[in-house]
Amino acid sequence: MKILTTRLTGAAWILVCLYWATGNLLWATPQQTVSGTITDTEQNPIPGVSIRLLNSNTGTQTDMQGAFSIQALPSDTLSISYLGFKTLRLPVANQINFTIVLQQDITDLGEVTINAGYYNTTRREQTGSIARVTAEEIERQPVTNPLAALQGRMPGVSVVQRSGVPGNAPAVQIRGQNSLRSGFNNSGNRPLYIIDGVPIDSDPLNSFSGLTSPNLGGIDPLNTLNPAAIERIEVLKDADATAIYGSRGANGVILITTKKGTGGKQKTRFNAQVYTGVGEVPRKLDLIKTADYISLRQEAFANDGARPTETNAPDLLLWDTDRYTDWQETLFGATAQTTGVNLGVNGGSTYTYYNLSLGYQQETSVFPGDFKYNKLTATLSLNHRSSDERFKLQLSTLIGRDTNRQFDGSSFVSTALSLAPNAPALYTDDGELNWEDSSWTNPLATLYRESQAQVQQLISNLSLSYSITPELEAKLSAGYTLLNSDELVKQPLQFYNPALWSFVSSRSLHIGAKRQSFIAEPQLNYRNSFGKFNLDALVGATLQHRATTGLNMVGIGYANDQLLGNLAAAEQVVVTDNTTQEYAYAAAFGRVGLRYAHKYYLNLTGRRDGSSRFGPSRRLATFGALGGAWILSEEHWMQALTPVLSFTKLRGSYGSAGSDQIGDYGYLDTYSATPGGGGLYPTQLTNPVYSWERNRKLELALELGFWNDKVRLNTSWYRNRSSNQLVGYNLPAITGFTNVQANLDATVENTGWEFEAATQMHAERFSWQASLNVSIPKNRLRSFPGIEESAYANTYKVGEPLNIQLLYDYTGVDPETGLYTFVDVNEDGVYNLDDRVVVKDLTRTLFGGFRNQFTYGRVSLDFLWEFVVQDGQQYYASGVPGRLGTLLQEDYDRRWQGPGDSASFQKLSQGLDALRSYFRFQTSAGSYTDTSFLRLRTLGLSYKLPLETLGLTTCTVFMQGQNLFTLTKYRGLDPQAPGTSLPALRMLTAGLKLNF
C-alpha cells in the first residue's frame, strides 16, 4: 500500500500556530451534528445501540437501520455499547460521519458500571464485594415484590419466600445472621434499602389478617415498587462496600435503581408490556381416604380398649362414614389469575430528558371466595443539565399503592391438612353454611372475617450538582418518603358457630400506620490525575429524621353487619394502640480512592454516626474500612499467560460497621396511660449506657478471566464478627418487667465461601450464556460468657449456629409398646430441657443458582435452577395419630400394629402416654430430616417478531414459568418454608412487549 504524505505550506503553519495560540478556540467551537451507522460483522444494522458522550449523560440510540445522530464537540469521545458486543470509544475530532462495525463480546469488565452507593465503579476496578442483577432478569417475572426476583441469582444473598399469598415480605439475609435479635421482621438482621439514593424504612407492617401475619413476614413496604420499572439491583456485602453507610450498612446494603431517560436529540420512545397467567399450589399431600381413616379411628379405640361415643367420636357415630372430601382441593385448590400491564415513555432534548412509567398488577387467590391483590405504580425520572455541563439536576419520584383483600386464614391451610376426610358438607341444602352440631367447626366461616389492607407510598429524590472546577463537584441529594397503611378487618356474626358462640357480638378491627422521613446529604467530590496516579475523593454529611405513627382501634357491637367498619355505629370503641415515635440520625462520611497505573487500587472509607436510639453519652460511633485490589494480569511478567489467563485480580478488605436496629427510646423510662382517668403505669426500665453493636468484616477474593474473559471465575472468602450484642436482657418476674435493653458480651461469627462462574459462546446467529453461583456459609456463636446462667442457656450453644434446635435423642418405636422412645428422658411426663442433648443446625449450609440463556436468531430460552442444602422439620399430621384428624398415607402404612412389630411410626391411640410420646417425638431428632431442594425457579421463552417495517423497534412475545418443578425429600407443601403456610405458587404467564 502506498503511503501518501502532505507537506505543510508556510501559510498552513501560520494557521496552526494561530490555532494553538488562541488556547480557548477549541472550547468556543460550537457543537456539530455527528452521525453514522452501526452494523455487526455481517453488515447487518443493529438497532438500539447506545451512543453517549464519554463522562456525560448525553446520548442517543440507533434506529431500525442502525443510524444515529448526536450533537458533539470535536473534543468529545463517543462511547458505543450494546449488549453482546465490545464497547468502542471513538474520538470525534473533525469527523462528522462514522461507519462503525461492532465485534461480539460481552465480557469487557471495564465497561460494566456498578453502583457502589455514593460513587460508581466498574467490575474491573471494584475493590469491594458487589453483586448485581439487571432489568432483563427482573422485569418478566410475575412477582409482586422485586426482592423475590433475586432468589438463586446472587452469591451470599439468601431470599426466602415464606408464603404464596401476594404481599408477604420475603426473608432476606446477606451473609448470614449477625445479631441475636430475631423475630418476624428479621429484627437486627435487616439490610439497608436505598431506592434512587433514598433510604427507606423496610420494617414489615403488622397485619390482623392471618395470611399476612407477622409469622409469615407481615406486609412489605417494597411491594409498592414496580419490578418492571427497575433498571438494576446491586447488593453491597463486604466492609469496603458497606462501611461508607456506617451503622446502616452493618447487615449489607441493597441499592435499587429505577430506569432513567437518556439525553440527546431523539424521538420520543414508547414501550409497553402486558402479560396474563395462572397460578396454583404446586404440591398436594397424599392424605388417607375415608376407608383408611375410619379404620384408623377404630384401631385407635381398640388399642385403648375404649368405646367411641358421640362426644369423642362424632366422625364415627354422627358423620357419614362413606363421605369423602379432598379438603386440600376444596380449601386451597383454586386457580389464581394474574394480570400485569406496564407502560412507559421517554424522550427529551439534548439537555433535558425524562422517563415515565405506569404499572398495574392484579392477582387473585387460590382460596375460595373473591380475594385479590391489586397494585398501581407510577415512576417519573427527570434529568437536566446546562449547556456547559457544569450544572446537573436529577429528580426521581415513585408512587405506589397496593390493596390486599384477604381473610383471616392463619390456620386455613393447616385446617385443610387436618380435617377428617368424612367431615360434614360445607353448605346445607339451602345454601347456608353448615353448622351441623357443636362437634363441627365449618372452615369456611373464616372467609366471613374479611381483611382489606391498603398501603400507599411516595419516594422522591432530588439531586443537584455543580462542577466548581473540572476536578471539583458540589452535590446535594435530598429525599422524602411517605407511607400510609390502613387495614380494616370485619368480623360479623356469621364468623361464629351459633351453637357455641351465641353470646358474642360482631366487631371491626382498625389498624393504621404512617411513616414519614426526610433526608439531606451534601457532598463534595474531587477527581484528578497525577501522571499514573488517579485520585477520587468525596466528603459528605447525612441528616435524617423519621417519624412513625400508629393507631389501632376495635369497634364492638354492631346492630347490623352492613354497618361493620363504621366506628360511629359501634356500641363500644377501644383504642389498643396510639403511639408516635421519632428517630433522628446524623453522620459525616468520606472516601479516598487511589489508582496507580490501572493495576493497583486502594479504597478508604469512613463514617462518624450519631443515632437518637442511644443515650446522650453513647450516641456517637466511628466506622471505617480499607479495601484494595491488584490486577496481576497488567504486570509484564504475566503477559505470557494472557492468551489463556486474560484477567487476574486479587482484592481484599477489612473494616467495621455498627447497628442501631433497636426500638426508639429504649434508654428511657417509659409509661403508658391507664384507660379513663389520667393514671400512668410503667412499661419500660431505663438503661442509658448501652451502646452500638459492632460488626467487623474481613474478605479476601480472587477474580480470574480465561480466553479473553469468555470464562470468568470469582472466589471470595469472608469472615464477619458481630459483638456487643444489642438484645433485651431478661429480668426476673418479680421486677414486673420481662426485660431491659442492654448489651450482651456475645460474639456471633459468620464465615463462608462464595463462588461465581460465568461463560458465553457466540457462533453466527447462536449465543449461549451461563452462570453459576454457590454460597457455603457457616454461622456460629463464637463466645458468650456466662451463657449457662443466662436465659439463653436453652436457646444457644457456644460453638454452634444461632438457628439451632435442641432436641431429644430419638431411638425409634418400642416393638412392645408401640410408642416412640428416647435416650435419658424422664418417663414421669415432665419435660426437662436438659434432656435435649441433640443439636440440630437449621441454617442453609449451601445454596445458589445455575442460569442459562440460549439465543438463536430471534428466539431466546432462559432458565434458572435454584438449589439449597438444609435440614428442617419433616411434615407430620398436626394432631396425635389416632385422634380426630387425618394422616399421611405413608405414615398410616408404616404404623405399629401389634407387639413385635418393627415400625417407624407409633401406634394409633388417644391415650395420655401416646400423646406425651408424640409431642416428645415432635421435639426430637427423629422428626427432623433433610429438607434440601432443587427447584426450576424460572423458565422463559421469547420470540422477537419481524415487525420492524411497521415502525416497531422490537416486538417480543414471551412465556414465563415460576416454581415449575421441585426435587426434594421433604414431604410437606414447600421445603423452602417448612410448615403449613401457603407455598409459593407455580405460575405460568404469557405476554407481549413492544418498543417503538
Side-chain angles (χ1 to χ4, degrees):
M1 179 182 293
K2 183 182 291 185
I3 301 175
L4 301 177
T5 60
T6 302
R7 295 184 178 181
L8 293 176
T9 64
W13 278 111
I14 294 173
L15 291 175
V16 170
C17 292
L18 287 174
Y19 177 82
W20 289 106
T22 55
N24 291 325
L25 183 59
L26 179 63
W27 298 102
T29 303
Q31 287 188 329
Q32 57 190 2
T33 300
V34 176
S35 61
T37 57
I38 300 179
T39 64
D40 60 18
T41 54
E42 297 180 357
Q43 301 302 310
N44 297 315
I46 307 177
V49 177
S50 174
I51 302 97
R52 65 180 179 87
L53 302 184
L54 196 63
N55 299 320
S56 170
N57 286 326
T58 301
T60 187
Q61 291 182 331
T62 56
D63 60 19
M64 296 308 302
Q65 286 71 45
F68 73 92
S69 65
I70 191 172
Q71 297 292 312
L73 295 170
S75 59
D76 284 329
T77 299
L78 300 181
S79 177
I80 298 98
S81 60
Y82 189 67
L83 183 64
F85 293 84
K86 287 185 177 181
T87 296
L88 296 180
R89 289 179 177 174
L90 302 175
V92 174
N94 294 319
Q95 190 170 351
I96 62 174
N97 190 271
F98 289 83
T99 300
I100 302 168
V101 178
L102 293 185
Q103 303 289 329
Q104 286 188 325
D105 185 6
I106 63 167
T107 59
D108 192 348
L109 299 176
E111 298 304 323
V112 180
T113 302
I114 303 296
N115 181 6
Y118 292 101
Y119 63 99
N120 290 330
T121 183
T122 65
R123 285 290 191 201
R124 177 187 177 87
E125 298 182 352
Q126 71 182 65
T127 55
S129 181
I130 305 175
R132 183 174 187 262
V133 169
T134 61
E136 181 187 12
E137 300 177 70
I138 300 172
E139 60 186 2
R140 288 185 188 170
Q141 298 187 54
V143 294
T144 58
N145 191 303
L147 298 182
L150 303 184
Q151 294 180 90
R153 297 181 183 272
M154 291 181 169
V157 182
S158 173
V159 181
V160 178
Q161 189 175 346
R162 292 176 284 194
S163 171
V165 176
N168 284 127
V172 180
Q173 280 190 356
I174 300 174
R175 289 186 170 176
Q177 180 178 343
N178 294 313
S179 176
L180 296 178
R181 288 167 290 132
S182 61
F184 79 89
N185 61 2
N186 203 26
S187 175
N189 296 283
R190 292 187 305 275
L192 170 67
Y193 294 92
I194 305 287
I195 301 176
D196 286 341
V198 181
I200 69 166
D201 186 349
S202 62
D203 287 359
L205 298 160
N206 270 322
S207 170
F208 283 131
S209 170
L211 291 176
T212 50
S213 66
N215 292 332
L216 298 179
I219 300 174
D220 197 335
L222 293 176
N223 289 333
T224 58
L225 299 181
N226 182 7
I230 293 176
E231 178 66 30
R232 62 185 185 272
I233 298 177
E234 277 104 350
V235 177
L236 315 185
K237 297 183 286 187
D238 72 326
D240 176 72
T242 61
I244 198 167
Y245 286 100
S247 62
R248 299 183 297 171
N251 299 310
V253 183
I254 296 181
L255 305 173
I256 300 176
T257 304
T258 58
K259 295 178 179 178
K260 306 290 190 295
T262 56
K265 290 185 177 180
Q266 60 180 17
K267 297 179 181 179
T268 300
R269 297 181 181 271
F270 299 89
N271 61 80
Q273 181 191 54
V274 60
Y275 66 85
T276 185
V278 295
E280 64 178 5
V281 173
R283 189 178 191 180
K284 305 282 177 53
L285 305 189
D286 184 16
L287 301 175
I288 58 175
K289 305 300 189 292
T290 300
D292 284 341
Y293 175 75
I294 298 300
S295 175
L296 174 155
R297 291 284 284 148
Q298 292 171 343
E299 183 178 322
F301 279 102
N303 287 338
D304 296 338
R307 293 180 58 187
T309 66
E310 292 184 357
T311 301
N312 63 18
D315 51 344
L316 298 180
L317 301 180
L318 298 178
W319 301 349
D320 184 352
T321 56
D322 293 325
R323 177 189 299 277
Y324 172 72
T325 302
D326 184 345
W327 291 112
Q328 296 179 84
E329 187 65 29
T330 301
L331 298 184
F332 59 82
T335 299
Q337 308 287 333
T338 184
T339 301
V341 178
N342 296 291
L343 305 174
V345 57
N346 65 82
S349 63
T350 302
Y351 302 114
T352 303
Y353 43 97
Y354 65 90
N355 184 78
L356 173 65
S357 65
L358 303 173
Y360 170 77
Q361 182 180 1
Q362 181 185 92
E363 184 176 339
T364 61
S365 173
V366 295
F367 301 106
D370 183 23
F371 302 104
K372 63 184 64 176
Y373 173 89
N374 289 284
K375 176 162 70 174
L376 288 169
T377 61
T379 305
L380 172 64
S381 171
L382 179 66
N383 292 69
H384 175 74
R385 61 188 178 88
S386 60
S387 58
D388 60 3
E389 299 283 346
R390 300 181 71 177
F391 174 75
K392 296 178 183 178
L393 177 150
Q394 178 175 306
L395 172 68
S396 66
T397 301
L398 295 84
I399 301 174
R401 185 189 73 181
D402 70 329
T403 303
N404 201 341
R405 184 172 177 268
Q406 296 290 346
F407 64 97
D408 184 6
S410 55
S411 60
F412 204 68
V413 177
S414 61
T415 297
L417 300 178
S418 61
L419 274 177
N422 71 324
L426 295 173
Y427 297 98
T428 66
D429 294 337
D430 298 330
E432 300 292 332
L433 280 186
N434 179 20
W435 296 106
E436 186 162 304
D437 52 49
S438 60
S439 66
W440 161 250
T441 299
N442 194 316
L444 291 191
T446 192
L447 299 181
Y448 287 92
R449 192 176 190 260
E450 296 182 7
S451 167
Q452 179 165 301
Q454 187 174 96
V455 179
Q456 298 173 326
Q457 185 163 225
L458 166 68
I459 303 171
S460 186
N461 173 255
L462 175 64
S463 177
L464 306 173
S465 64
Y466 184 77
S467 296
I468 302 172
T469 68
E471 296 82 19
L472 183 63
E473 179 187 57
K475 183 178 180 181
L476 174 65
S477 178
Y480 173 72
T481 65
L482 175 64
L483 181 146
N484 283 303
S485 170
D486 293 288
E487 183 177 11
L488 171 62
V489 179
K490 297 179 180 180
Q491 192 165 298
L493 293 177
Q494 290 95 324
F495 173 73
Y496 303 97
N497 186 339
L500 299 175
W501 301 96
S502 57
F503 57 88
V504 300
S505 59
S506 56
R507 61 179 57 200
S508 62
L509 298 87
H510 306 251
I511 181 171
K514 180 180 180 180
R515 297 175 180 176
Q516 190 172 213
S517 176
F518 300 89
I519 186 170
E521 293 187 310
Q523 300 172 48
L524 282 175
N525 297 276
Y526 180 79
R527 299 179 182 88
N528 207 345
S529 299
F530 308 93
K532 292 185 177 182
F533 275 102
N534 291 83
L535 172 66
D536 188 352
L538 69 86
V539 293
T542 300
L543 298 171
Q544 183 178 5
H545 180 270
R546 180 190 302 159
T548 303
T549 303
L551 176 62
N552 298 349
M553 296 178 291
V554 179
I556 303 172
Y558 289 88
N560 190 305
D561 285 346
Q562 299 299 319
L563 299 175
L564 275 172
N566 184 353
L567 289 175
E571 295 179 1
Q572 181 183 4
V573 176
V574 178
V575 178
T576 60
D577 180 49
N578 186 9
T579 58
T580 298
Q581 295 181 324
E582 296 189 22
Y583 168 67
Y585 171 86
F589 57 88
R591 169 186 177 261
V592 175
L594 298 172
R595 182 182 69 196
Y596 178 73
H598 294 276
K599 56 185 176 181
Y600 306 114
Y601 299 87
L602 187 65
N603 193 45
L604 298 95
T605 55
R607 194 175 185 107
R608 178 73 168 170
D609 278 356
S611 172
S612 65
R613 288 173 173 165
F614 299 99
S617 63
R618 304 296 177 96
R619 284 182 176 162
L620 300 177
T622 302
F623 310 102
L626 171 66
W630 176 22
I631 302 180
L632 283 77
S633 50
E634 292 293 324
E635 301 290 352
H636 70 278
W637 45 268
M638 287 283 292
Q639 299 306 306
L641 300 176
T642 53
V644 176
L645 188 59
S646 53
F647 181 75
T648 306
K649 182 172 80 171
L650 285 172
R651 61 176 177 83
S653 65
Y654 179 78
S656 68
S659 177
D660 67 346
Q661 287 190 19
I662 55 175
D664 297 314
Y665 316 127
Y667 62 92
L668 296 172
D669 279 321
T670 60
Y671 297 83
S672 291
T674 59
L680 295 175
Y681 64 94
T683 56
Q684 178 179 278
L685 287 178
T686 181
N687 179 15
V689 295
Y690 64 81
S691 61
W692 298 77
E693 213 166 77
R694 287 276 179 174
N695 193 315
R696 293 173 174 83
K697 303 181 180 183
L698 171 67
E699 181 181 46
L700 299 173
L702 172 65
E703 300 180 10
L704 301 174
F706 298 89
W707 300 291
N708 197 27
D709 296 338
K710 286 182 171 58
V711 177
R712 302 193 304 274
L713 300 176
N714 297 335
T715 301
S716 302
W717 174 86
Y718 65 88
R719 187 195 69 198
N720 300 342
R721 289 178 177 172
S722 182
S723 59
N724 210 33
Q725 294 284 322
L726 275 171
V727 297
Y729 185 80
N730 291 318
L731 297 175
I734 194 174
T735 64
F737 298 90
T738 58
N739 60 69
V740 62
Q741 188 70 61
N743 293 108
L744 285 183
D745 186 19
T747 300
V748 177
E749 181 179 81
N750 285 284
T751 59
W753 290 89
E754 295 174 3
F755 303 94
E756 291 181 274
T759 186
Q760 56 83 30
M761 181 182 71
H762 294 283
E764 296 182 353
R765 301 182 66 195
F766 175 78
S767 68
W768 169 54
Q769 301 175 39
S771 62
L772 170 71
N773 72 84
V774 179
S775 302
I776 308 176
K778 184 177 181 180
N779 170 271
R780 66 168 178 152
L781 181 60
R782 181 177 173 85
S783 66
F784 194 152
I787 187 174
E788 294 81 6
E789 291 77 34
S790 74
Y792 299 97
N794 292 304
T795 304
Y796 304 116
K797 295 292 182 184
V798 174
E800 299 289 349
L802 298 184
N803 188 19
I804 60 173
Q805 288 289 330
L806 304 180
L807 305 169
Y808 295 114
D809 190 358
Y810 172 68
T811 54
V813 175
D814 189 317
E816 298 305 318
T817 65
L819 300 178
Y820 295 124
T821 58
F822 313 89
V823 174
D824 299 329
V825 174
N826 295 324
E827 299 299 333
D828 56 3
V830 177
Y831 290 85
N832 190 343
L833 294 178
D834 293 335
D835 293 335
R836 299 189 183 186
V837 295
V838 177
V839 178
K840 177 62 69 173
D841 179 14
L842 304 183
T843 309
R844 290 184 167 188
T845 56
L846 183 146
F847 63 91
F850 178 51
R851 184 190 180 213
N852 279 266
Q853 184 176 24
F854 301 92
T855 301
Y856 181 78
R858 295 175 177 271
V859 180
S860 179
L861 175 68
D862 185 294
F863 62 85
L864 170 70
W865 286 93
E866 180 189 14
F867 51 87
V868 173
V869 176
Q870 63 184 8
D871 286 341
Q873 189 167 25
Q874 185 63 281
Y875 177 79
Y876 290 90
S878 56
V880 178
R883 297 196 173 208
L884 185 64
T886 190
L887 198 66
L888 286 170
Q889 184 68 50
E890 178 184 349
D891 292 337
Y892 177 77
D893 293 339
R894 60 192 181 94
R895 72 192 186 282
W896 182 94
Q897 299 182 61
D901 274 2
S902 178
S904 57
F905 195 76
Q906 80 167 18
K907 71 177 182 180
L908 306 176
S909 172
Q910 300 181 91
L912 183 60
D913 289 342
L915 175 67
R916 183 185 303 122
S917 175
Y918 184 73
F919 284 136
R920 212 168 252 160
F921 173 75
Q922 295 282 56
T923 53
S924 76
S927 70
Y928 283 76
T929 186
D930 181 2
T931 56
S932 305
F933 64 90
L934 173 65
R935 172 169 290 170
L936 183 55
R937 174 65 64 183
T938 63
L939 174 63
L941 179 66
S942 65
Y943 177 69
K944 293 183 179 179
L945 297 172
L947 300 178
E948 291 82 1
T949 57
L950 300 180
L952 297 175
T953 305
T954 58
C955 177
T956 305
V957 293
F958 63 87
M959 292 184 293
Q960 182 80 17
Q962 297 278 115
N963 306 319
L964 295 179
F965 181 71
T966 302
L967 289 173
T968 181
K969 294 181 180 179
Y970 179 66
R971 307 185 309 178
L973 294 173
D974 188 358
Q976 180 181 220
T980 58
S981 61
L982 185 72
L985 302 184
R986 177 190 292 127
M987 303 290 296
L988 293 172
T989 58
L992 177 69
K993 184 176 182 181
L994 304 173
N995 290 281
F996 54 95

